Amino acid sequence: MNWAEFFAMNGYGFYVWGSYGVALAVIAIEIIAVRHRRTLALRQLKLMNDSGDAQ
Amino acid sequence: MAINWFKYSAPSTFYGLAGKLIPFFAWPAAVLFAIGLYIGFFVAPTDAIQSEAYRIIFIHVPASILSMFIYLIMAGYAALGLIFKTRLSSMMATALAPTGALFALISLWTGALWGKPMWGAWWVWDARLTSELILLFLYLGFIALHASIEDPRRADKASALLAIIGSVNVPIIYFSVKWWNTLHQGSSIKFSGTTMHVAMQQAMFTILVACWLYVIAMGLARVRSIILEREANTQWVKELQEAK
Amino acid sequence: MNKLTMLGVLGLVIRRDLLLAMRRRADVLTTLVFFVMVVSLFPLGVGPEPDMLRKMAAGVLWVAALLASMLSLPRMFSADYLDGTLEQMMLAPQSLTMMVLGKIIAHWMLSGLPLVLIAPVLGVQFDMSSQALWVLMLALLLGTPVLSLIGAIGAALTLGLRGGGVLVSLLVLPLCIPVLIFGAGAVDAINSGMSAVSNLSLLGALSLFALVFTPFVAAQALRISME
């Protein structure tokens, strides 16, 4: 089972890996986006807490 | 010891619970996805007619199924939030919408890439693909409406109403598109006709379950952020150790 | 003051809205002119061959009808929302659903009906047969109420939002696709010799379905937006 033949998908490689590639990319981007949103929310909270303590 | 189900319907208690649950959904999703891919690419045989290109269905079909079900679940949460005025349900609906839209996008993209080698065109006005496109518009409408209203409570209720109307329309749209499609194109192209090899079904089912777990994990993670954003000035959020 | 019955309220709201619209006749004409303009653009874009135009006539006219009715949707509630009459309406003892239905009917009479009346004139531009023209008018007559009914929900949901006009179209157009399919399908059926009864009856069914549910849902949407 050589890898070159595997990736070629006897000619349909572009379509198969094109769809899986984009699907995995979309999932990865979504994971990153959700993590990023969480850090933003926490940073906002820290700001509010610090300003809260400062008063 | 009667379980008090409503204990977890308050954002404050649900926040902690969701935090604990995410790993239990996220990691199995990743593992199952890998297994599904393995079966799909190494165990499933080459299809007689479509040779290797058919392997795209292992991601295309689950994505389409999920994009439809997530919309219905989203409408369900929206209805719950509207009827029982439980803020958490509306937050769940808002949390699921982006994931649903992305799955609709994946379904369209993989559908197009599968259509090119099989039917010779990037986009085929097939009834399923067209309904998927309209479903994507419904998602975008939901997200756009929710985003364009500042007051979160009104945004939740307005988008909830839209989701409910949308879910009532999904069958009508699908029926009319199917009717329209068969009118113009005769019988729509069936998938290769051969009964699916058992390994194919296993691969598709595994990836479907993996995607389900992924959606739950993603929904929980996003709803936690929404809770933090919305309940920012409540006491329990202030005391959260990660907010210190 | 005699007790206003439900139908009394309906008639009152329709008369009021039509009267208001007649004072600002420009608004009514914009929908009509937009419809005519969009339809007339297509031959310029696609080319004048009659058989080509005849084939696409129904689709072009229906898409233009959809867009034209989207154009005037935001105005359905915004004027009353800004000067506070909407609030008074919601406080009135009479049912809000009836008043919303009145506004929808008034909107339809100002945006749907004119399209039905002018469609044959434009149909001639596309060299449509007289039989097809009749079916087109009937289909538009049956279909355009759905655009106003579902559009009312979109208008109510996006009340007072910036960029509401575009948002209404994004929300409402996907829901109007069945109307477009059956409407254009009716004329195609006639052109290819089949009878258009099935399309027209489905259009009628969609209209009745929308007529029964949407006023109530639009009233709920108004309550949500006005909270």
Side-chain angles (χ1 to χ4, degrees):
Chain A
M1 180 52 168
N2 64 55
W3 287 103
E5 184 203 307
F6 172 74
F7 282 109
M9 280 281 153
N10 80 36
Y12 293 109
F14 169 71
Y15 304 111
V16 174
W17 303 119
S19 23
Y20 280 93
V22 165
L24 291 177
V26 162
I27 289 173
I29 290 167
E30 193 186 9
I31 292 172
I32 294 163
V34 169
R35 275 198 202 293
H36 179 61
R37 181 169 180 172
R38 179 170 167 74
T39 45
L40 282 182
L42 288 176
R43 193 178 304 153
Q44 183 67 16
L45 279 173
K46 286 194 178 67
L47 277 174
M48 284 170 62
N49 273 350
D50 299 347
S51 66
D53 302 344
Q55 272 138 16
Chain B
M1 198 280 282
I3 303 166
N4 169 3
W5 291 110
F6 288 99
K7 175 160 147 345
Y8 291 111
S9 71
S12 48
T13 45
F14 184 77
Y15 180 82
L17 173 71
K20 295 193 203 68
L21 283 179
I22 293 174
F24 290 102
F25 287 107
W27 293 113
V31 166
L32 276 178
F33 199 75
I35 296 170
L37 284 181
Y38 175 78
I39 302 175
F41 280 99
F42 296 105
V43 173
T46 310
D47 179 67
I49 301 158
Q50 299 183 22
S51 80
E52 301 303 334
Y54 86 96
R55 296 183 194 279
I56 298 175
I57 57 162
F58 298 138
I59 187 73
H60 174 65
V61 170
S64 314
I65 294 172
L66 272 172
S67 63
M68 176 72 72
F69 270 94
I70 291 175
Y71 192 86
L72 295 179
I73 292 168
M74 195 176 82
Y77 271 123
L80 277 177
L82 208 55
I83 297 163
F84 297 111
K85 309 243 181 324
T86 46
R87 291 197 320 279
L88 189 61
S89 325
S90 319
M91 290 185 203
M92 262 322 267
T94 328
L96 285 171
T99 311
L102 285 179
F103 270 103
L105 210 64
I106 293 175
S107 160
L108 285 172
W109 173 262
T110 51
L113 249 67
W114 183 26
K116 179 66 177 139
M118 286 313 110
W119 301 326
W122 286 112
W123 178 257
V124 169
W125 286 98
D126 170 69
R128 288 180 300 270
L129 281 179
T130 317
S131 315
E132 191 70 47
L133 183 64
I134 299 168
L135 186 63
L136 180 61
F137 291 149
L138 292 178
Y139 272 116
L140 295 181
F142 179 89
I143 295 169
L145 179 62
H146 195 280
S148 67
I149 301 174
E150 280 83 18
D151 160 28
R153 287 176 53 77
R154 176 186 163 187
D156 283 350
K157 289 188 177 168
S159 43
L161 201 65
L162 183 68
I164 295 166
I165 298 161
S167 57
V168 167
N169 271 285
V170 160
I172 300 174
I173 290 172
Y174 182 72
F175 164 74
S176 51
V177 166
K178 199 159 180 49
W179 186 85
W180 164 82
N181 177 269
T182 45
L183 190 73
H184 287 281
Q185 215 176 349
S187 73
S188 69
I189 293 91
K190 287 283 173 295
F191 163 62
S192 87
T194 55
T195 56
M196 282 174 62
H197 188 278
V198 66
M200 297 181 196
Q201 284 167 349
Q202 281 166 348
M204 195 183 295
F205 183 72
T206 317
I207 290 183
L208 183 64
V209 172
C211 288
W212 265 118
L213 295 174
Y214 165 78
V215 165
I216 295 168
M218 203 44 63
L220 291 176
R222 190 174 285 116
V223 86
R224 271 162 61 92
S225 306
I226 293 175
I227 292 174
L228 285 181
E229 286 156 10
R230 291 246 188 106
E231 314 276 317
N233 40 34
T234 55
Q235 198 49 35
W236 70 273
V237 168
K238 283 199 172 61
E239 272 125 23
L240 274 175
Q241 21 73 10
E242 59 249 42
K244 282 283 174 299
Chain C
M1 211 275 276
N2 57 12
K3 179 97 180 55
L4 260 179
T5 62
M6 282 228 288
L7 290 182
V9 170
L10 198 66
L12 195 72
V13 170
I14 295 175
R15 210 173 306 116
R16 169 186 171 272
D17 269 28
L18 289 180
L19 198 63
L20 279 178
M22 280 310 135
R23 290 210 186 100
R24 275 179 287 101
R25 197 158 284 114
D27 295 349
V28 180
L29 287 182
T30 42
T31 315
L32 211 57
V33 168
F34 177 83
F35 179 65
V36 172
M37 206 163 47
V38 165
V39 169
S40 314
L41 286 178
F42 273 87
L44 300 172
V46 170
E49 299 87 3
D51 47 15
M52 156 86 88
L53 289 183
R54 201 176 304 117
K55 231 146 76 64
M56 53 183 275
V60 163
L61 278 154
W62 261 102
V63 169
L66 244 66
L67 297 179
S69 58
M70 291 302 123
L71 201 64
S72 55
L73 274 181
R75 279 200 307 280
M76 194 188 278
F77 296 115
S78 55
D80 291 342
Y81 171 67
L82 293 177
D83 63 11
T85 19
L86 201 56
E87 242 160 83
Q88 298 311 323
M89 276 186 179
M90 293 178 71
L91 299 174
Q94 281 75 18
S95 86
L96 181 60
T97 310
M98 267 302 141
M99 290 187 217
V100 167
L101 182 57
K103 294 189 81 61
I104 293 170
I105 294 172
H107 174 266
W108 177 68
M109 289 166 82
L110 296 171
S111 73
L113 215 48
L115 303 192
V116 173
L117 300 178
I118 202 163
V121 175
L122 298 172
V124 167
Q125 252 185 358
F126 283 72
D127 187 32
M128 287 172 77
S129 68
S130 65
Q131 204 190 10
L133 282 180
W134 279 111
V135 169
L136 176 67
M137 274 184 78
L138 193 54
L140 279 171
L141 196 63
L142 285 170
T144 41
V146 180
L147 306 181
S148 298
L149 283 158
I150 297 182
I153 299 177
L157 284 175
T158 58
L159 202 56
L161 297 183
R162 290 181 328 285
V166 176
L167 194 59
V168 174
S169 309
L170 174 62
L171 304 185
V172 170
L173 281 176
L175 305 176
C176 295
I177 284 173
V179 171
L180 171 64
I181 289 175
F182 294 131
V187 181
D188 283 348
I190 284 292
N191 285 345
S192 51
M194 294 185 294
S195 97
V197 170
S198 59
N199 301 55
L200 294 176
S201 46
L202 280 168
L203 265 181
L206 282 176
S207 279
L208 287 177
F209 180 77
L211 184 63
V212 169
F213 291 109
T214 30
F216 171 72
V217 175
Q220 294 310 322
L222 273 182
R223 289 198 201 290
I224 291 173
S225 304
M226 295 288 287
E227 227 155 42

